[in-house]
């Protein structure tokens, strides 16, 4: 049973260039407004958080996955979500000893195909919206995580790496009947 | 096969949405002569039939809804301010046409009931002898069935249908999809707040009408 009612896919699909341009203009406007790249990073993370808390319901409504038992499960679902929403295929790896920390590795920074960071913004994290999305989405299913950009191709690294670390399960926010 | 109403309860327990689709209307209008054979009493600012009448027509439990076509407001008074109790004790006003029926719940009453559902749901999952039990999924009564879907995020979708309804799970999932589209993707909607999105209501109505006309379509 797939959704096909009002989702005749083609008219609703947007050219990815338009999406890259939109995100780029968003980041550049934030840089102009805030001037300090650290503030821009924080704001991107916050915007990502707001997206995350909403997109999780869409993800659950479309896929009907059950609750994740551990971080390996969660990592797998996050990977599927990237595929579903952005058509990207990050690889999962760099697991910590206790299996509560992992990395999503992209070949290049998402949305940044034609981007070069100027010298004044050398510590700007261009795709910082993504860790925010991961954090917001996980929080809505009662998993508190910390998420940050570990490596960035825009800064000269080989790959772009987003690291996700499990902090704790939000027991008191758990809906009744699921423990 | 009809759907009576839909309620959505947020993860913190408050009712954020309610829609009455096919709420069966129980109303009777008749001309009455003095003296009235029904015993009426004022309760909660409404005039309620306490005793008298027949089971299939006007009977105990129904509220006086209008006099001669003019609706009755809280008080109970008419729109022009006439006290209804005085009106009905004055023989000169008869014969008069009175409409009795089941009064609809006010929004406050609905919110109260909707918010009561959350703790009941939690109690149900705790009473269970088996661990990891879900909460209330179906409440079945003589004239209706109440179905509940709880999402992983704690939002509950409650559907009240007639007892013969089949395929509620699919309808609940479709409502969840519509919610994730028209409510959550509206940037001006704040989470946990009452839902006041017209697009959501429109699409919900379309879904319910489609379900009632054609049955559940496996799309």
């Amino acid at each position: 049973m797939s959704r096909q009612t009002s989702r005749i896919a083609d008219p609703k699909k947007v050219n990815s260039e338009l999406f890259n341009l939109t995100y780029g203009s968003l980041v550049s406007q934030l840089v102009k407004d805030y001037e300090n790249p650290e503030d821009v990073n924080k704001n991107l993370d916050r915007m990502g958080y707001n997206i995350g808390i909403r997109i999780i319901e869409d993800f659950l409504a479309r896929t009907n996955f059950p609750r994740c038992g551990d971080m390996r499960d969660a990592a797998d679902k996050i990977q599927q979500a990237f595929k579903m929403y952005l058509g990207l295929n990050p690889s999962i790896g760099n697991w910590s000893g206790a299996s509560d920390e992992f990395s999503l590795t992209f070949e290049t920074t998402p949305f940044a195909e034609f981007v070069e960071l100027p010298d004044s913004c050398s510590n700007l994290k261009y795709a910082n919206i993504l860790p925010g999305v991961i954090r917001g989405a996980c929080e809505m299913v009662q998993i508190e995580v910390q998420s940050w950009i570990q490596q960035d191709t825009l800064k000269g690294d080989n790959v772009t790496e987003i690291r996700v670390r499990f902090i704790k399960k939000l027991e008191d926010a758990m809906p009744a009947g699921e423990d | 096969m009809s759907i009576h109403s839909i309620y959505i309860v947020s993860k913190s327990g408050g009712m954020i949405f309610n829609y009455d689709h096919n709420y069966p209307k129980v109303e009777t209008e008749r001309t009455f002569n003095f003296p009235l054979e029904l015993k009426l009493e004022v309760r909660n600012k409404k005039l309620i039939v306490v005793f008298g009448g027949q089971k299939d027509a006007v009977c105990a439990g129904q509220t006086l809804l209008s006099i001669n076509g003019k609706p009755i407001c809280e008080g109970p008074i008419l729109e022009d301010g006439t006290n209804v109790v005085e009106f009905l004790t004055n023989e000169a006003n008869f014969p008069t046409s009175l409409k009795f029926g089941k009064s609809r719940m006010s929004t406050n009453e609905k919110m109260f009931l909707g918010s009561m559902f959350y703790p009941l749901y939690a109690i149900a999952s705790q009473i269970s002898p088996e661990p990891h039990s879900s909460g209330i999924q179906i409440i079945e009564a003589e004239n209706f069935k109440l179905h509940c879907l709880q999402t992983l995020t704690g939002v509950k979708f409650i559907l009240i249908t007639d007892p013969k309804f089949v395929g509620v799970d699919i309808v609940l999932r479709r409502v969840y999809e519509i919610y994730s589209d028209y409510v959550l993707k509206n940037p001006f909607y704040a989470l946990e707040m009452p839902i006041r999105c017209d697009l959501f209501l429109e699409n919900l109505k379309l879904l319910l009408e489609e379900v009632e006309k054609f049955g559940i379509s496996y799309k």
Side-chain angles (χ1 to χ4, degrees):
Chain A
M1 179 184 60
S2 63
R3 287 168 73 190
Q4 270 165 356
T5 33
S6 56
R7 297 239 154 194
I8 308 156
D10 297 333
K12 285 233 175 159
K13 276 207 161 102
V14 174
N15 189 320
S16 70
E17 296 312 320
L18 178 60
F19 184 70
N20 288 341
L21 281 171
T22 307
Y23 187 75
S25 78
L26 172 77
V27 176
S28 70
Q29 190 61 45
L30 281 176
V31 168
K32 276 195 206 111
D33 287 342
Y34 286 101
E35 286 166 32
N36 175 5
E38 272 313 315
D39 286 338
V40 179
N41 289 339
K42 268 196 223 117
N43 269 290
L44 281 174
D45 185 84
R46 198 148 34 100
M47 287 163 61
Y49 176 81
N50 280 321
I51 294 178
I53 60 179
R54 291 158 188 265
I55 210 169
I56 180 70
E57 303 261 21
D58 185 77
F59 180 68
L60 290 172
R62 286 213 221 181
T63 58
N64 199 11
F65 285 137
R67 191 172 287 281
C68 289
D70 59 4
M71 281 312 277
R72 293 204 177 252
D73 240 340
D76 180 60
K77 300 294 184 301
I78 294 176
Q79 191 181 32
Q80 291 193 36
F82 268 100
K83 179 88 218 267
M84 199 163 117
Y85 288 107
L86 291 172
L88 297 174
N89 275 315
S91 58
I92 303 205
N94 283 354
W95 284 95
S96 70
S99 277
D100 59 357
E101 198 173 320
F102 66 94
S103 290
L104 288 151
T105 313
F106 300 81
E107 281 172 9
T108 59
T109 305
F111 327 130
E113 203 182 323
F114 304 115
V115 174
E116 279 174 23
L117 284 183
D119 294 327
S120 56
C121 304
S122 55
N123 49 346
L124 174 71
K125 296 185 182 139
Y126 191 79
N128 209 33
I129 209 167
L130 293 174
V133 176
I134 295 174
R135 183 169 63 93
C138 288
E139 191 174 304
M140 288 297 275
V141 283
Q142 298 89 35
I143 302 175
E144 189 179 321
V145 298
Q146 217 180 355
S147 177
W148 65 97
I149 295 187
Q150 182 87 343
Q151 293 187 69
D152 197 344
T153 49
L154 289 179
K155 300 202 177 111
D157 298 319
N158 291 336
V159 292
T160 295
E161 189 184 334
I162 297 182
R163 204 132 173 85
V164 181
R165 177 195 292 157
F166 172 79
I167 304 289
K168 63 177 181 207
K169 227 169 163 206
L170 298 164
E171 289 294 350
D172 48 351
M174 208 55 136
E178 304 214 28
D179 40 14
Chain B
M1 282 252 291
S2 70
I3 297 174
H4 295 325
S5 34
I6 288 191
Y7 294 77
I8 301 181
V9 177
S10 76
K11 73 173 181 173
S12 50
M15 193 189 80
I16 56 175
F17 181 77
N18 150 256
Y19 173 60
D20 290 330
H21 184 62
N22 243 341
Y23 210 77
K25 259 200 201 146
V26 179
E27 280 173 6
T28 343
E29 186 157 13
R30 257 185 53 203
T31 317
F32 288 85
N33 283 314
F34 192 83
L36 275 181
E37 67 252 25
L38 304 162
K39 270 251 157 315
L40 300 170
E41 239 180 58
V42 177
R43 281 197 198 151
N44 277 344
K45 301 197 181 167
K46 292 190 272 208
L47 212 51
I48 308 214
V49 177
V50 179
F51 202 67
Q54 287 100 9
K55 190 151 197 295
D56 295 330
V58 185
C59 63
Q62 297 196 355
T63 317
L64 184 60
L65 297 175
S66 73
I67 297 182
N68 287 333
K70 286 180 272 181
I72 297 192
C73 317
E74 291 231 323
I77 53 173
L78 284 175
E79 271 172 7
D80 55 10
T82 353
N83 188 311
V84 173
V85 180
E86 284 170 13
F87 184 92
L88 291 175
T89 41
N90 185 350
E91 189 176 349
N93 291 322
F94 286 83
T96 179
S97 161
L98 300 175
K99 191 193 317 188
F100 289 90
K102 186 164 180 295
S103 77
R104 305 278 281 252
M105 278 197 282
S106 72
T107 316
N108 273 340
E109 287 171 344
K110 284 181 193 164
M111 289 204 68
F112 179 69
L113 288 181
S115 312
M116 283 235 63
F117 189 79
Y118 175 76
L120 288 177
Y121 188 96
I123 290 174
S125 81
Q126 285 170 23
I127 276 183
S128 164
E130 305 266 330
H132 301 295
S133 166
S134 78
I136 294 176
Q137 288 187 321
I138 305 185
I139 295 179
E140 203 171 324
E142 190 184 333
N143 297 324
F144 74 92
K145 249 177 160 174
L146 180 152
H147 305 259
C148 177
L149 167 71
Q150 177 173 252
T151 66
L152 287 187
T153 48
V155 178
K156 296 176 201 26
F157 295 90
I158 300 164
L159 206 65
I160 300 184
T161 65
D162 72 34
K164 301 190 285 305
F165 202 87
V166 172
V168 182
D169 300 320
I170 301 178
V171 181
L172 280 171
R173 288 225 74 87
R174 291 291 304 277
V175 177
Y176 186 25
E177 283 176 14
I178 297 180
Y179 166 80
S180 79
D181 279 343
Y182 295 99
V183 177
L184 293 181
K185 291 183 185 147
N186 178 355
F188 302 109
Y189 169 72
L191 257 58
E192 314 261 307
M193 288 287 116
I195 296 176
R196 303 229 184 285
C197 308
D198 291 332
L199 280 178
F200 174 66
L201 190 56
E202 261 173 52
N203 280 277
L204 189 65
K205 281 185 195 166
L206 282 176
L207 170 71
L208 295 180
E209 281 162 13
E210 184 193 310
V211 166
E212 289 197 330
K213 263 192 245 163
F214 306 117
I216 312 296
S217 43
Y218 287 83
K219 289 209 188 125

